[in-house]
Structures are given as structure tokens and as C-alpha cells.
Amino acid sequence: MPRPLFCLFVLLFVPEVTHPMPDFDSLWDYTQPADTETRFRALLPEVEDNPSAHAQLLTQIARAQGLQGKSQEAHATLDEAEGIIASIADDPARAVAHVRLLLERGRAHNGTPRPYDANDERATRARPFFMQAWEAARAAGEDGYAVDAAHMLAIVASPDSAQTWNYRALAVAEQSQQPHARRWLGSLHNNIGWTHFDLAEYPQALDQFERALSVRRRQGDETAIRIARWSVAKALRFLDRTTEALSIQRALLQAYQDDGESDAYVFEEMAECLLAMGQPQQAKQYFGLAYQALSRDAWFVDNQPDRLERLRELSREE
């Protein structure tokens, strides 16, 4: 008996089985890179049949390793990802994996955040990878990764030239309809604000911090909101609007206390405000609290020694 035509149709048009990529990016906790690496590694068996997803997941494992100071391991993981990407040259999904490889190779070279140094060889090694990532992301229409690359190019640039890349990243994010790019707006306003701040351009810094706060409030992330409010207050202090600055810091202090927490940078800014207002004795308590906390922060000790010494001196009893 002849096979019905509809059966032939079904046999000829069996849909291709696909392997969707797990949303591993949502598992990131940048404050706990070791735990993040563990979560990412647990997902590796799920992406073995999806080369692009496998390579992308490896790039994020490498980033987690880099945040733990494991530079050699990070580069080895990226070498593995690069081998997978080379094997899928004809796969359209290769473009995103390639961009992410370039971004993380650059970050692995650049290492942990630190003050700008014109003679820093790590930044010099990282810069070409970020530039390649920018160009590749733009060519692929991947606005979010283009913004990421531009913001990294700003980080490894001198403060006066960083703004070119900061504003370039902001333009892409503002013009894009891609959620991945739009999510960068708060961070970009924050970064632009701090670059203005480092250049002693305090009115421009305040404007950007207020823009960042507006974005953060729309996004609803309480931690990011508090950071944005703190930044606004610091800019106000440098604009001699100290009473307003102290009011914001007091409110932040209360919010942390209500949560059973504290923040060393709030202590520091409260102390600076009180000192500027001619209240050195009241300031001393907060300088002491800031010093106690920040002297245990390895990054702060290594990168802000003069600032730490100031806290120590101003917290001392006469």
C-alpha cells in the first residue's frame, strides 16, 4: 500500500533538534568569583553538544578565574575556548563566542582594577584585545558586547582620553534597542562621572551621578541605588554643598544599620563631611570606623595607601 503523502511530508520536514544555551550569565556574582566558577563548571555537561555555548561558558569560567587572581588558569581556559571556536568557523553563532573570547582575553591580561598608570604593561597587553572585541561586536551587531568592549577601552586609557570611549559606549547603549546594551546605562553614567571627578570636573561628575541614580532607581537594584546615592553625595561635598552631602550619607548609614550592615565608604564620607563642617571630634569616630574596615581590604591597602594613611592619622587620639 503506498505511503500517504502527509507521512512523506512529515518525514521530509522533521524539525532540526537544537540545543538551547543555558542562561549562565544570570548566575554571575562578581563578589564571589570562586562560587560563580563552581556554578559554571556544573553546567559544562549541558553545553557539550553546543560548541558556541561551550566556548562562551569557558570564557566566563576564565573571567571568574581571573577575578580570583588565577591568571595562568584563566588563559589556559581561554585557550580551550579558542580551540572550540576555531572548529566552528562556519557556524553563525561563532561571532558572539569570538567577541567574548577577545573580551576575556583582554581582561585576563589586564587583571584586577587599579589606578591608571601610563607604564602599566598589563593594560598595554590588554588594549588590542578590547579593540578587536569592539570592532568584531560592531560588525556582528552585538551592541551589548560593543558597549562592554568600549567601556574596557576606557578603563585601560588615560583619564583624559577615557571619556572618548566612555561616551562612545554611552551612545551605543542609548541608541540600541537591545536589552543587553540598555542594561549598561547606569554603569556608563557612573563611569563617566568618575572620570569627570578624577579630572576635577565636579559639576559634570554630579550630573552623571544623578543620571546613574535615575537609571538605578528604574532598575530597582537597591545595592546599585545606594552606590549611586553615595556618589552623588561625594560630588556634592566637592562642590561645597556639604550639608546636603552629609544628609545623604546619614540616610545611607541608617539604611545599612536597618539591614544589620555597615559600609566603610559611608563612614569615610561622613567623616570628611564633618571635618569640612568644622567638627573634627565627631569626624574622628567615623575616620576610625573607616580605617578599621578598609585596613582589612587587600585591594584598598595595595591601591590606596595614601588614602588609608589619611584615615589612620585623622582617627588618632591627640
Side-chain angles (χ1 to χ4, degrees):
M1 182 176 179
R3 186 187 298 269
L5 288 177
F6 78 88
C7 292
L8 288 174
F9 181 86
V10 170
L11 290 172
L12 289 171
F13 293 91
V14 174
E16 180 182 356
V17 176
T18 60
H19 302 277
M21 185 171 72
D23 181 20
F24 49 76
D25 289 313
S26 65
L27 301 179
W28 256 113
D29 181 348
Y30 296 101
T31 67
Q32 300 292 334
D35 292 344
T36 301
E37 180 184 356
T38 298
R39 288 193 291 271
F40 284 164
R41 288 194 177 280
L43 286 177
L44 283 171
E46 297 184 27
V47 296
E48 289 179 346
D49 296 331
N50 186 333
S52 175
H54 190 183
Q56 290 183 57
L57 182 55
L58 287 173
T59 69
Q60 298 312 288
I61 289 173
R63 185 174 186 179
Q65 291 170 325
L67 288 172
Q68 296 170 69
K70 300 189 293 187
S71 177
Q72 289 186 339
E73 291 92 331
H75 281 293
T77 302
L78 291 170
D79 289 343
E80 184 180 353
E82 189 167 6
I84 295 171
I85 292 168
S87 71
I88 56 171
D90 297 329
D91 187 339
R94 176 185 183 276
V96 171
H98 179 59
V99 170
R100 302 193 78 171
L101 172 71
L102 292 168
L103 279 168
E104 302 314 330
R105 188 73 81 179
R107 276 192 268 259
H109 280 300
N110 193 49
T112 56
R114 59 198 175 277
Y116 174 76
D117 180 353
N119 299 314
D120 192 338
E121 293 183 359
R122 291 173 294 178
T124 300
R125 289 194 299 269
R127 195 172 293 112
F129 290 100
F130 295 139
M131 181 61 74
Q132 291 175 57
W134 161 258
E135 293 170 349
R138 293 293 281 165
E142 292 289 341
D143 294 345
Y145 296 119
V147 171
D148 192 352
H151 115 278
M152 289 306 304
L153 282 162
I155 286 173
V156 297
S158 61
D160 56 342
S161 60
Q163 289 296 51
T164 299
W165 282 107
N166 277 328
Y167 279 105
R168 194 170 291 175
L170 182 62
V172 174
E174 287 180 332
Q175 295 166 16
S176 178
Q177 298 303 311
Q178 298 175 19
H180 183 199
R182 302 287 299 177
R183 282 195 295 270
W184 275 95
L185 287 171
S187 296
L188 292 172
H189 286 302
N190 175 74
N191 294 354
I192 292 170
W194 282 112
T195 303
H196 280 304
F197 188 93
D198 291 341
L199 295 169
E201 298 168 351
Y202 303 124
Q204 296 93 323
L206 176 60
D207 175 66
Q208 290 297 321
F209 292 150
E210 289 176 334
R211 290 172 186 266
L213 177 57
S214 178
V215 173
R216 298 306 195 190
R217 281 176 168 154
R218 289 198 301 270
Q219 293 172 335
D221 183 331
E222 183 58 34
T223 298
I225 290 170
R226 289 180 183 180
I227 292 171
R229 291 174 65 198
W230 182 93
S231 302
V232 167
K234 181 154 186 172
L236 288 170
R237 177 169 70 84
F238 274 77
L239 288 166
D240 296 324
R241 295 166 60 179
T242 313
T243 301
E244 294 172 73
L246 181 59
S247 176
I248 294 172
Q249 298 296 351
R250 287 192 190 281
L252 287 170
L253 176 66
Q254 187 63 56
Y256 281 111
Q257 288 178 339
D258 289 346
D259 291 342
E261 301 173 357
S262 63
D263 185 275
Y265 296 99
V266 171
F267 291 146
E268 180 188 28
E269 275 303 301
M270 287 193 62
E272 294 289 3
C273 288
L274 290 165
L275 184 65
M277 296 170 72
Q279 302 176 41
Q281 285 303 119
Q282 293 91 325
K284 187 174 295 186
Q285 172 192 356
Y286 292 106
F287 278 125
L289 291 169
Y291 177 76
Q292 289 173 22
L294 292 171
S295 63
R296 297 192 295 268
D297 184 323
W299 181 91
F300 197 91
V301 171
D302 290 343
N303 291 280
Q304 301 287 332
D306 294 342
R307 190 169 158 193
L308 186 64
E309 179 59 20
R310 173 180 169 79
L311 294 175
R312 189 184 72 82
E313 285 294 328
L314 291 172
S315 67
R316 291 175 60 182
E317 296 293 337
E318 299 295 337

